[in-house]
Each structure stands twice: as structure tokens, then as C-alpha cells.
Amino acid sequence: MQLFYNPDLTEENEQFQFDREESKHIVKVLRKKEGDTLYITNGKGYLFKASIEVADHNKCRVKVLDHQKKYPKRYRLHLAVAPTKNNSRYEWFLEKVTEIGIDEITPLICERSERTSIKTERMEKVILNAMKQSQRVYLPKLNEPTSFEEFIKNEHEGLRFIAHCEDDEKMDMKRRVAPDTNITLLIGPEGDFTSTEIKKAYQEQFIPVSLGDSRLRTETAAIVGCTTVTLANTI
């Protein structure tokens, strides 16, 4: 099943017209024609089944045949991850956690961050493509870059974790994750969080956790954390 996306599609729609770019992709690239079936999501939990009425590469119009709502998971996972120096590594991380199962992502600007800005529009496209490829119907939320101090002072429901490389006493994350519980996980930059940042996180009730014996790259640590939470909620 190939999945298409439009955020404006609702359960009230009986007909729908794709924009020019998507219409061209459907008709010119995929060579879809009248009567062909398409599956579309609005990224808000709905999956729509539709039939092409007009296969125009400028204005492809479809008739909605059916829709179903997939209810969200019983937990939410929020990853706050420092941007990597190499943009492609951060994009790779975004793609993989979207496939595995993430709800919200915040680029975290830390004292040792080598990159303090990201191309939000490009990152959102990576997430969207990964959602469609993995046939998920909930589009993860990508927040604007946020400073470490601002982020930890925000309200975060559920468990709060920070993964760092200092020799403090830490608990194995897979033993600390509770199923059906919201989780916020902080992952630092290549140079790790500073001692000051770690202490401030502790003061805001963030629990230090270990992701294993190896020293992981930023993007790898984030993927391991995401996988750990997902597995804890699927066993």
C-alpha cells in the first residue's frame, strides 16, 4: 500500500483534490488513472480510501470511499536531541525514529552544541516521507530549536530521562521504562552535556539513564532510546 498525505482531509470530505505537485506525482510519475485506488492520511490518525475520478496531472481529484480512525498509543515519547554537526546524520535519526515510533521531537541547543539552527522545512519533509514510507497515520511533531535551560523548565508529563556519558550512577533505561507511560528523553551533542547542565536536569527531576555499555553517537543514542521505549510497550 502506497500512502499519500494531506493535512486538510477530514472524515466529512466526500471528494478531494490534490495540489499540483502531488497531482503530478500521482499521474505523471506513478501513472495512476481514473478508477485507481489511493490511500491517504491526514497525519492525525485517519486513513482514507479513495478512487481517482479525474487523473489530471495539475488537479487530480478523488472520491473518498471509506475512512477509519486509528487510535493513538497509550503513551507519548518526546525526544529532545541536540542537532549534530553533520545535518545528514540528524536527518537519518529523524527518519528512523519516525519509522520506529515517535510522537514529538525537539532540537535541543546545549552549551557544547556545534550547530544551533536547523532547516525546519527540510526536516519536516524527512519526517513526512518516513511516515508515509512506514505507513503510519500520525505525523510526529517537530518543534523549533529550544535551549536546554528553557526545555527542562517546561512541563513534561510522565517520566523524565537524561542520557549522558559522565560517571554518575545511572539506571539501565530498559529497566526504568514503564509501559503506557509518557516519556521525555534528553540526548546531548557530540561533546555531551556539561556537568552544569546535568545538575540542572537533576533539579528538574530528570533521571539519569544508561543506554548500554558503548559510547554512542548522538543520533545512535536517540534511536536506541526510541527503540527501548517502543519495545517496552510492545512486549
Side-chain angles (χ1 to χ4, degrees):
M1 181 183 75
Q2 186 165 22
L3 193 60
F4 298 89
Y5 169 75
N6 191 284
D8 300 322
L9 194 55
T10 71
E11 61 270 33
E12 281 79 31
N13 288 110
E14 295 181 356
Q15 287 184 324
F16 174 75
Q17 182 173 291
F18 286 99
D19 62 25
R20 184 173 182 178
E21 181 179 355
E22 194 77 300
S23 294
K24 183 178 179 180
H25 179 68
I26 293 168
V27 178
K28 288 283 191 179
V29 179
L30 300 177
R31 300 185 180 280
K32 298 292 185 179
K33 56 187 183 299
E34 279 85 355
D36 284 354
T37 299
L38 300 180
Y39 292 91
I40 313 160
T41 183
N42 59 5
K44 302 166 188 173
Y46 281 94
L47 178 65
F48 299 88
K49 180 180 180 181
S51 175
I52 297 178
E53 287 190 321
V54 179
D56 186 313
H57 66 271
N58 289 315
K59 299 177 181 179
C60 180
R61 190 172 73 238
V62 300
K63 178 181 180 181
V64 178
L65 304 175
D66 190 21
H67 71 269
Q68 54 181 310
K69 169 84 174 190
K70 182 175 181 180
Y71 290 96
K73 308 188 300 290
R74 292 189 295 271
Y75 71 95
R76 285 183 60 82
L77 173 58
H78 186 171
L79 288 178
V81 183
T84 55
K85 185 177 180 179
N86 187 324
N87 262 331
S88 63
R89 284 166 48 193
Y90 205 78
E91 291 175 9
W92 180 78
F93 139 69
L94 291 173
E95 178 184 80
K96 298 312 171 189
V97 296
T98 301
E99 292 177 12
I100 296 166
I102 187 70
D103 301 286
E104 189 169 357
I105 303 154
T106 299
L108 196 63
I109 308 305
C110 307
E111 288 185 39
R112 292 175 176 160
S113 291
E114 294 188 66
R115 183 179 294 279
T116 58
S117 63
I118 65 168
K119 297 178 180 179
T120 304
E121 186 176 344
R122 180 180 173 88
M123 299 293 186
E124 287 175 340
K125 184 172 288 188
V126 170
I127 292 172
L128 174 58
N129 288 336
M131 180 198 72
K132 293 193 294 183
Q133 186 277 326
S134 56
Q135 297 186 4
R136 293 183 175 272
V137 292
Y138 281 94
L139 183 66
K141 180 183 180 183
L142 176 65
N143 297 318
E144 291 294 326
T146 305
S147 71
F148 178 88
E149 292 202 12
E150 179 183 349
F151 185 86
I152 62 173
K153 291 185 179 298
N154 291 339
E155 184 176 346
H156 303 288
E157 295 182 1
L159 295 171
R160 305 177 178 190
F161 296 142
I162 179 171
H164 62 78
C165 299
E166 290 200 355
D167 291 330
D168 293 0
E169 183 177 352
K170 290 174 275 193
M171 183 175 290
D172 192 331
M173 184 173 168
K174 67 176 179 289
R175 300 183 184 278
R176 191 65 180 83
V177 171
D180 301 336
T181 302
N182 292 343
I183 289 175
T184 301
L185 173 63
L186 309 181
I187 303 289
E190 280 95 336
D192 199 13
F193 295 112
T194 64
S195 297
T196 300
E197 287 173 328
I198 293 170
K199 290 177 183 177
K200 288 180 178 179
Y202 290 173
Q203 292 169 2
E204 298 297 332
Q205 310 306 311
F206 281 85
I207 301 167
V209 291
S210 168
L211 297 173
D213 296 331
S214 301
R215 188 181 181 96
L216 305 175
R217 287 179 179 270
T218 295
E219 70 277 15
T220 310
I223 291 172
V224 170
C226 180
T227 303
T228 300
V229 174
T230 301
L231 289 175
N233 281 276
T234 54
I235 296 175

